[in-house]
Amino acid sequence: MTLKDQHQLGKTLWAIADNLRGAMNADDFRDYMLSFLFLRYLSHNYEEAAKKELGGDYPSTESSKANNPLSIWYAQNEKEIDEFEKQMRRKVHYVIKPEHLWSNITELARTQNADLLITLEAGFRYIENESFESAFQGLFSEINLNSEKLGRTSTERNKKLCVIIQKIAEGIADFSTDSDTLGDAYEYLIGQFAAGSGKKAGEFYTPQQISSILSEIVTLDSQEPKTGKKSKLDKVLDMACGSGSLLLNVRKRMKDSKGSIGKIYGQEKNITTYNLARMNMLLHGMKDTEFEIYHGDTLENQWPVLNELNPSKKIEFDAIVANPPFSLRWEPTEALADDFRFKSYGLAPKSAADFAFLLHGFHFLAKEGTMAIILPHGVLFRGGAEEKIRTKLLKDNHIDTVIGLPSNLFYSTGIPVCILILKKCKKHDDVLFINAAEHYKSGKRQNTLREGENGEPNDIQKIIETYQHRPDQIDKYARRVSMAEIEKNGYNLNISRYVSTSEDEIQIDLKEVNNKLKTINQTIVENTIKHNEFLKELGLDGI
């Protein structure tokens, strides 16, 4: 399937969602739509695995009224079910009962069966509590199939679900449903729902263009980016992972460059978004052993795997990416002042947890790793506690690059933001500043970065290549700045101090201007004399 077809599936499903949700909030309908798409993926994957496992014993439905072959096999082989499911858990890491498979659910929807809602709810509960041996407990906890938003009565809700599921099934029918295709459609839908959610989208979605920049940067060699991609990333972390798109983007770029990636780790506080992330991982063909998403508060470091006090057992990451909530208010305590993440730098102020997120991630960065984090511009110049943290990071030579982005790129805010690139073992003793604030395509609701189509510039590639090759200077765009100059500016990293995009004032040569005025005046005098002579010949008064 071509990339165009993959995008078309996303557009087809979005048109269905936009048409069906009616007055329902975009956030609410998102959870139903994406959960059904996820069930479709799990079912297809499971049935294909079952075919291989059962081989010639896998039934045909040509002469049967059953809507999925597995239900026939279950009915004919009751004594072998336990052993079969044991094998399926070992090979695909989960089990779905025949009555809960998408093929059966869509048949119930097609026939407007009154048992659809009950069957679907039972299926979700089974997947949560038994299918994955509790590894995915609570995966559908935010999906309320009995919500009055679907209808006032059980009958109305059942009818609404029948319509939604039938339309989704029809929309998918003409497309390949491999993991890449459905994963791409899932990402597209998340982006579209984010656009409809406004500021709430900041909780779970990083625009793909920005995600691409961060992902590309952290996959390049940390010491010599111009040599290209790393061959392997053992562990990757996003400590505010939202729907997981940043982590998946890193994984995709490593796979595209024929590199390998070990395990990806994400942490998310919002329960709904946490479930979205887990579904997103599976929909992109990942096994549950290849990722770990933790539900908990990053700032309080509630994740046991990151709370190891023994330095020799501390987990470290080769790449860290993050788009944490901007200037989140938090409650730093005395205990946190002694926390191993913050005690060498100090605590971020109550009014803005930006540096708290940064220091959390930086603590777990491997010596040869790269961290890329999106933050508001205030972290570059604000005083007080933030100035102390920023100064120490600079003096210790941990801030590698500062990238300024255009305004209005995010669904959640119109303010311009920056990307900070940090490293623990940095080769250069300067800081690269990239001022990309003026390089974008203006839109009615949202600005975008240009991608080189129809002969236009490629803003994304220019940022990446500038970081990769680290030039001494690009006029009005980038410059390597010495630590001496930064120190002279009081460790203020305001980008415009170092790379200004304003036009230079035109220097005026007053002597030259004066001579020109004299020449013009002399010409006026000479022409006036000639003009008066003509007037005199005509018997008229001169001027």
Side-chain angles (χ1 to χ4, degrees):
M1 177 175 277
T2 65
L3 186 62
K4 182 179 179 181
D5 288 338
Q6 289 180 17
H7 288 164
Q8 188 56 49
L9 173 57
K11 291 178 181 178
T12 299
L13 291 172
W14 171 246
I16 292 169
D18 202 35
N19 183 51
L20 290 178
R21 74 182 177 94
M24 190 183 293
N25 182 286
D27 285 341
D28 293 328
F29 195 82
R30 175 197 70 203
D31 297 335
Y32 294 110
M33 184 81 175
L34 297 182
S35 294
F36 296 149
L37 191 62
F38 178 62
L39 179 61
R40 169 63 181 85
Y41 167 74
L42 287 182
S43 297
H44 176 78
N45 194 45
Y46 188 76
E47 287 176 300
E48 289 300 308
K51 282 182 187 178
K52 291 181 181 179
E53 179 65 23
L54 296 175
D57 292 333
Y58 192 77
S60 167
T61 57
E62 291 181 4
S63 59
S64 171
K65 293 182 180 180
N67 52 52
N68 69 71
L70 214 50
S71 64
I72 300 174
W73 187 89
Y74 266 63
Q76 295 174 348
N77 300 273
E78 290 184 21
K79 293 181 180 180
E80 298 178 38
I81 291 174
D82 287 346
E83 183 60 30
F84 167 73
E85 291 185 349
K86 182 179 178 180
Q87 285 293 94
M88 293 300 285
R89 280 195 171 91
R90 186 175 66 83
K91 293 185 176 180
V92 294
H93 293 217
Y94 66 94
V95 165
I96 299 182
K97 295 292 186 181
E99 62 269 26
H100 301 148
L101 288 166
W102 179 253
S103 52
N104 187 57
I105 295 297
T106 53
E107 179 63 16
L108 294 178
R110 187 187 68 81
T111 57
Q112 297 283 305
N113 193 299
D115 291 335
L116 171 70
L117 194 155
I118 296 170
T119 305
L120 191 59
E121 191 164 33
F124 282 166
R125 297 294 83 81
Y126 183 85
I127 291 172
E128 285 184 319
N129 301 319
E130 299 179 61
S131 174
F132 291 88
E133 297 180 340
S134 299
F136 287 83
Q137 198 161 10
L139 190 63
F140 299 100
S141 61
E142 297 299 294
I143 311 303
N144 184 3
L145 295 175
N146 289 300
S147 170
E148 288 195 0
K149 293 174 181 177
L150 286 170
R152 291 185 178 182
T153 66
S154 178
T155 302
E156 288 178 356
R157 291 192 287 274
N158 197 83
K159 185 177 180 181
K160 177 77 171 179
L161 287 170
C162 284
V163 173
I164 294 172
I165 290 168
Q166 190 175 354
K167 290 295 182 182
I168 292 173
E170 291 170 358
I172 289 176
D174 295 331
F175 295 92
S176 165
T177 49
D178 56 68
S179 62
D180 286 340
T181 305
L182 275 180
D184 182 88
Y186 192 86
E187 284 284 337
Y188 180 87
L189 287 171
I190 288 175
Q192 292 301 309
F193 280 117
S197 299
K199 290 186 178 181
K200 288 184 180 180
E203 296 177 4
F204 65 88
Y205 189 71
T206 302
Q208 282 294 311
Q209 292 187 325
I210 313 301
S211 178
S212 296
I213 296 171
L214 271 69
S215 303
E216 184 71 16
I217 284 173
V218 299
T219 56
L220 293 169
D221 185 90
S222 60
Q223 293 298 316
E224 292 289 351
K226 61 185 176 184
T227 62
K229 297 283 184 65
K230 292 180 177 180
S231 60
K232 182 180 181 180
L233 291 175
D234 187 38
K235 297 181 183 70
V236 182
L237 171 69
D238 183 346
M239 65 276 190
C241 70
S243 62
S245 61
L246 257 173
L247 288 169
L248 288 166
N249 212 325
V250 174
R251 177 176 176 266
K252 182 179 185 303
R253 288 180 180 275
M254 287 301 292
K255 288 178 66 179
D256 289 348
S257 63
K258 309 303 179 185
S260 63
I261 190 165
K263 192 170 183 178
I264 61 179
Y265 296 77
Q267 184 165 1
E268 176 55 43
K269 184 179 180 180
N270 181 290
I271 182 66
T272 304
T273 311
Y274 159 70
N275 288 330
L276 272 181
R278 292 193 291 167
M279 290 184 197
N280 208 1
M281 298 295 136
L282 290 163
L283 261 169
H284 281 82
M286 296 188 72
K287 293 182 179 179
D288 59 307
T289 53
E290 296 175 322
F291 68 92
E292 189 171 344
I293 309 294
Y294 184 79
H295 177 229
D297 192 318
T298 296
L299 297 178
E300 294 183 12
N301 202 20
Q302 295 175 339
W303 197 354
V305 75
L306 300 182
N307 240 322
E308 177 57 60
L309 297 177
N310 186 339
S312 64
K313 295 181 179 180
K314 185 180 81 169
I315 188 171
E316 292 185 332
F317 298 89
D318 304 311
I320 297 177
V321 289
N323 176 25
F326 301 147
S327 299
L328 179 74
R329 293 192 66 85
W330 72 311
E331 296 296 331
T333 63
E334 290 184 15
L336 282 175
D338 292 325
D339 189 288
F340 51 74
R341 300 167 296 165
F342 309 132
K343 65 181 180 181
S344 297
Y345 296 90
L347 292 171
K350 290 182 179 181
S351 58
D354 303 308
F355 269 116
F357 282 108
L358 183 150
L359 291 174
H360 172 92
F362 187 69
H363 177 79
F364 298 104
L365 183 66
K367 289 182 179 179
E368 295 299 319
T370 304
M371 176 177 173
I373 183 169
I374 303 169
L375 295 169
H377 274 261
V379 300
L380 303 176
F381 54 78
R382 289 193 294 242
E386 291 181 295
E387 182 180 358
K388 291 178 181 178
I389 297 171
R390 182 174 63 245
T391 299
K392 180 165 176 54
L393 286 168
L394 285 163
K395 284 183 175 181
D396 291 346
N397 200 30
H398 292 319
I399 297 180
D400 180 85
T401 303
V402 180
I403 303 171
L405 297 174
S407 60
N408 207 29
L409 290 179
F410 289 77
Y411 297 117
S412 55
T413 179
I415 65 170
V417 298
C418 65
I419 300 172
L420 285 187
I421 313 299
L422 296 100
K423 298 173 184 178
K424 285 195 172 172
C425 294
K426 208 178 100 184
K427 179 179 179 181
H428 306 281
D429 60 355
D430 53 30
V431 177
L432 174 64
F433 286 84
I434 301 174
N435 193 342
E438 303 298 324
H439 298 256
Y440 64 93
K441 182 178 181 180
S442 181
K444 290 182 179 179
R445 294 180 58 188
Q446 191 176 8
N447 295 329
T448 56
L449 299 176
R450 296 164 294 187
E451 298 186 30
E453 298 174 352
N454 302 319
E456 66 183 8
N458 192 324
D459 299 323
I460 297 171
Q461 198 59 36
K462 186 173 183 180
I463 290 172
I464 294 168
E465 289 179 355
T466 304
Y467 163 79
Q468 188 172 10
H469 297 288
R470 207 175 183 86
D472 289 333
Q473 183 168 350
I474 299 176
D475 189 42
K476 293 182 176 61
Y477 188 77
R479 184 162 75 91
R480 288 171 62 173
V481 180
S482 69
M483 287 306 303
E485 184 177 345
I486 291 172
E487 182 181 3
K488 186 179 178 181
N489 281 305
Y491 296 98
N492 186 314
L493 296 181
N494 198 338
I495 299 171
S496 60
R497 280 179 178 251
Y498 306 101
V499 182
S500 176
T501 59
S502 61
E503 294 294 329
D504 294 333
E505 290 185 13
I506 300 172
Q507 298 296 317
I508 300 173
D509 188 334
L510 294 177
K511 187 174 182 180
E512 184 182 349
V513 171
N514 189 51
N515 288 335
K516 284 183 178 180
L517 288 173
K518 283 182 179 180
T519 302
I520 292 170
N521 191 55
Q522 182 62 35
T523 302
I524 291 172
V525 171
E526 292 173 357
N527 287 328
T528 300
I529 293 171
K530 288 180 180 180
H531 185 72
N532 283 337
E533 289 177 356
F534 290 133
L535 290 175
K536 186 176 180 182
E537 289 178 6
L538 294 171
L540 299 172
D541 295 331
I543 58 174

